[in-house]
Amino acid sequence: MKKACEGFSGSIKHTFDEIAAAREKFSYALNRRETGTVIKVSAGIAIVSGLPGIGFEELVKFSDGLYGIAFNVDEEEVGVVLLGDHCLLEAGSEAERTGRVMDAPAGCGLIGRVVSPIGEPLDGGGPVVFERRLPIEREAPGITDRLAVSVPLQTGIKAIDALIPIGRGQRELILGDRQTGKTSIAVDTIINQRGQDVICIYCAIGQRTSSVAKAVAHLKEKGAMDYTVAVVTEGGDAPGLQYITPYAATSIAEYFMQKGRDVLIVYDDLTHHARAYRELSLLLRRPPGREAFPGDIFYIHSRLLERATHLAPELGGGSLTALPIIETEAQNISAYIPTNLISITDGQIYLSPKLFELGVLPAIDIGKSVSRVGGKAQWGAYRSVAGDLKLAYAQFEELEAFARFGARLDENTRKIIEHGRRIREILKQPESEPASVPEQITSLLALINGRFDEIPLDSVRDAERALKKAAAGLPESLVKSFFSQSKLDKESRETILAAAEKALSQFRRTP
Ligand code: ATP
Ligand code: MG
């Protein structure tokens, strides 16, 4: 009994001590709330008055949990871009300053999830677990924090890896008319990162629900969601939400990059992003410029893509590779948004509807595509084949036009055309069938050395399949040497060509 009382009085004393300490520490402070009134609401935006202290891009809270971003800050009123349904709002509602900017949740818990840019789960998989919230607009790393692009990012697509190589930390634009296979290239690249220690972010902006569902289902089926985060807004979402999607996705990507990881981000697509921004700007009565886009349309994309980089080792050495997608209209790559993005990025992959119609898939127009920095990062073995391949293909394309007129061709021209046709056949690749580096090197080396030239065009596919098996049997030390910056030596070439010859001889025409 005594013991219990002792304990009791002791615990009271302890509590009193705690209260006394807390009282000592406690200080009074006024909690200032700054509220204003909504005076006008239209699709996607609200005009608020009575928030004189508000900062540019500050988050504004409305009733019913609706948020917005202060976009136009005037003396009298503030133009706020809404991050949700404007139907929740009416003139006279209260608007409150939050004193912070928009942020996005980031952390390993997001991997495998499909989320909205504000971190809401869209996959029905329960709440999103995150470690930190990061502001969606962040400054890009400075020049001294960056390193040159030096490691390739293999897409598994032969035409890209050989002729338009992409390096980790690069920004490569994918552009083409609608339905030319833009998303397929990006999704295949994500699928090929399996086992490559790359975290992928698939950022869908204002897409059709069916397209997003198809892409995510495809990633899941191929096991790619194990290392991928999908950040999604659909066409029906508020334009404000669509506008912040790529910035939020980039902050999620930067979280991993700053932990020293290599990250790949796909923006599908920035045309929708530009349109959402145009819509908001026009509603906010900003002056329209070319194609009715506002004056700062270049800046919204350049500040986004500048965040892609290869960080210096002191900062962890991570990288962020960006694959922005743009939809062109009637193959016009010199329209406003495409030219802007071509000048911001380090190269472009142009997809031609004509090639798509001809069944040349992926429909990459090699003549109009370029990679300005990836060549330095490309594995050396590719450099042994890429030069000849590009030249032979360019010659073929030029001569093919003549051949169509039915002109009589000399022997040399005929050979160039036959060789070119085989190059085109080998560069064709079905969707989600990525080719490994040894497979690519073996078939490209055999190709430029004319090993396919005597094989009938309709057997080239089968012949390549046989070659794939031969590539799997190459000596391990040789395969290892493919993943270095040194070119193929004579001996390696001979070993590969001998293996190729063995596999291909059965497909040759018998006289
Ligand atoms: P949108 O403009 O609607 O976004 P998109 O340019 O992203 O279209 P995709 O959706 O990637 O194009 O592809 C269009 C169609 O082409 C799809 O049905 C896809 O399956 C097919 N396709 C794309 N690439 C290939 C390929 N290499 N082989 C076979 N089919 C392909
Ligand atoms: Mg698409």
Side-chain angles (χ1 to χ4, degrees):
M1 180 70 193
K2 199 181 164 199
K3 243 183 181 175
C5 288
E6 264 175 19
F8 187 62
S9 66
S11 88
I12 292 260
K13 188 163 182 294
H14 185 62
T15 316
F16 281 150
D17 285 349
E18 273 180 5
I19 292 172
R23 265 174 56 190
E24 224 123 286
K25 266 194 238 157
F26 184 75
S27 66
Y28 295 95
L30 278 178
N31 188 8
R32 212 173 105 215
R33 263 182 87 213
E34 203 174 317
T35 58
T37 316
V38 175
I39 51 173
K40 197 170 141 193
V41 182
S42 52
I45 65 150
I47 307 292
V48 177
S49 76
L51 290 177
I54 197 160
F56 179 59
E57 294 196 340
E58 187 175 326
L59 204 59
V60 180
K61 189 180 172 193
F62 298 98
S63 47
D64 289 328
L66 178 66
Y67 282 89
I69 299 174
F71 248 48
N72 270 11
V73 182
D74 293 334
E75 232 174 309
E76 304 283 310
E77 54 182 38
V78 183
V80 180
V81 165
L82 301 175
L83 300 177
D85 193 359
H86 64 276
C87 299
L88 298 172
L89 216 56
E90 54 190 32
S93 317
E94 192 183 87
E96 185 186 341
R97 274 187 64 184
T98 60
R100 60 190 182 96
V101 290
M102 184 63 204
D103 48 23
C108 296
L110 270 89
I111 293 177
R113 303 299 305 267
V114 183
V115 296
S116 77
I118 49 178
E120 290 167 338
L122 299 176
D123 50 6
V128 174
V129 182
F130 61 92
E131 278 146 50
R132 303 167 54 182
R133 293 195 75 92
L134 292 172
I136 60 165
E137 294 269 8
R138 302 172 81 201
E139 223 170 280
I143 299 171
T144 49
D145 298 340
R146 294 174 185 241
L147 220 59
V149 170
S150 57
V151 182
L153 184 111
Q154 293 295 130
T155 62
I157 299 166
K158 281 171 280 180
I160 300 179
D161 289 343
L163 302 173
I164 323 153
I166 302 173
R168 294 189 181 182
Q170 188 180 343
R171 300 154 299 173
E172 182 81 5
L173 179 67
I174 300 174
L175 81 168
D177 279 15
R178 55 175 298 279
Q179 288 288 304
T180 46
K182 304 181 294 297
T183 305
S184 304
I185 287 192
V187 168
D188 282 355
T189 306
I190 294 181
I191 290 170
N192 196 49
Q193 301 315 309
R194 192 169 184 80
Q196 305 293 313
D197 204 17
V198 176
I199 304 243
C200 301
I201 317 280
Y202 177 68
C203 169
I205 310 157
Q207 291 283 330
R208 288 185 304 273
T209 314
S210 59
S211 318
V212 179
K214 190 180 147 200
V216 172
H218 193 47
L219 289 172
K220 242 185 215 153
E221 184 197 323
K222 296 284 173 187
M225 281 310 278
D226 298 349
Y227 50 87
T228 302
V229 187
V231 185
V232 171
T233 41
E234 288 158 10
D237 285 329
L241 213 52
Q242 293 184 31
Y243 168 71
I244 65 164
T245 312
Y247 301 103
T250 310
S251 291
I252 295 172
E254 280 171 344
Y255 169 85
F256 296 110
M257 173 176 73
Q258 281 161 354
K259 289 208 173 303
R261 305 293 302 266
D262 288 320
V263 189
L264 165 71
I265 185 162
V266 171
Y267 302 106
D268 192 5
D269 63 47
L270 290 184
T271 315
H272 285 120
H273 183 244
R275 286 188 192 141
Y277 188 63
R278 172 170 66 184
E279 188 177 333
L280 293 170
S281 300
L282 292 175
L283 286 167
L284 288 167
R285 302 196 175 279
R286 291 184 178 178
R290 186 174 157 193
E291 291 177 27
F293 285 106
D296 58 348
I297 190 83
F298 184 89
Y299 175 58
I300 68 159
H301 287 150
S302 65
R303 72 170 190 257
L304 172 72
L305 293 168
E306 272 303 302
R307 288 163 73 179
T309 184
H310 182 189
L311 287 180
E314 308 87 79
L315 294 166
S319 72
L320 175 56
T321 313
L323 294 182
I325 297 177
I326 276 284
E327 184 184 301
T328 51
E329 281 172 10
Q331 304 174 50
N332 183 9
I333 57 171
S334 49
Y336 193 24
I337 303 298
T339 39
N340 275 357
L341 276 143
I342 286 172
S343 65
I344 294 167
T345 48
D346 308 309
Q348 76 270 353
I349 296 169
Y350 177 64
L351 299 173
S352 149
K354 273 187 203 146
L355 291 174
F356 194 93
E357 278 163 24
L358 290 172
V360 181
L361 292 169
I364 301 170
D365 185 330
I366 289 160
K368 285 186 183 150
S369 304
V370 64
S371 173
R372 283 186 273 269
V373 294
K376 292 190 194 84
Q378 197 176 28
W379 295 133
Y382 281 102
R383 268 180 259 153
S384 317
V385 295
D388 290 346
L389 193 64
K390 219 172 208 171
L391 190 68
Y393 196 66
Q395 274 181 339
F396 157 68
E397 281 193 319
E398 213 166 275
L399 291 173
E400 197 193 20
F402 284 108
R404 268 199 221 116
F405 295 125
R408 236 206 272 146
L409 304 169
D410 62 76
E411 184 55 21
N412 198 23
T413 314
R414 197 193 59 79
K415 265 191 184 156
I416 293 173
I417 291 178
E418 287 303 317
H419 184 56
R421 286 199 175 125
R422 273 138 192 100
I423 296 179
R424 181 177 277 168
E425 203 56 33
I426 293 290
L427 292 184
K428 281 185 191 171
Q429 205 171 330
E431 228 176 329
S432 42
E433 270 187 34
S436 68
V437 174
E439 283 166 14
Q440 294 193 25
I441 299 291
T442 313
S443 57
L444 295 176
L445 194 69
L447 179 66
I448 59 158
N449 283 290
R451 298 298 198 269
F452 281 96
D453 289 0
E454 301 299 318
I455 296 174
L457 209 52
D458 48 11
S459 311
V460 168
R461 264 287 158 75
D462 294 333
E464 204 200 359
R465 226 164 278 144
L467 202 55
K468 230 179 187 182
K469 282 192 197 127
L474 288 176
E476 213 170 293
S477 58
L478 179 60
V479 169
K480 238 185 199 167
S481 74
F482 294 158
F483 298 91
S484 74
Q485 292 299 346
S486 49
K487 282 191 173 186
L488 289 178
D489 53 26
K490 200 167 166 238
E491 199 184 319
S492 310
R493 279 167 174 266
E494 275 163 11
T495 315
I496 299 168
L497 286 174
E501 191 52 44
K502 229 183 190 176
L504 295 179
S505 56
Q506 50 174 320
F507 294 94
R508 297 255 156 75
R509 271 193 207 106
T510 38

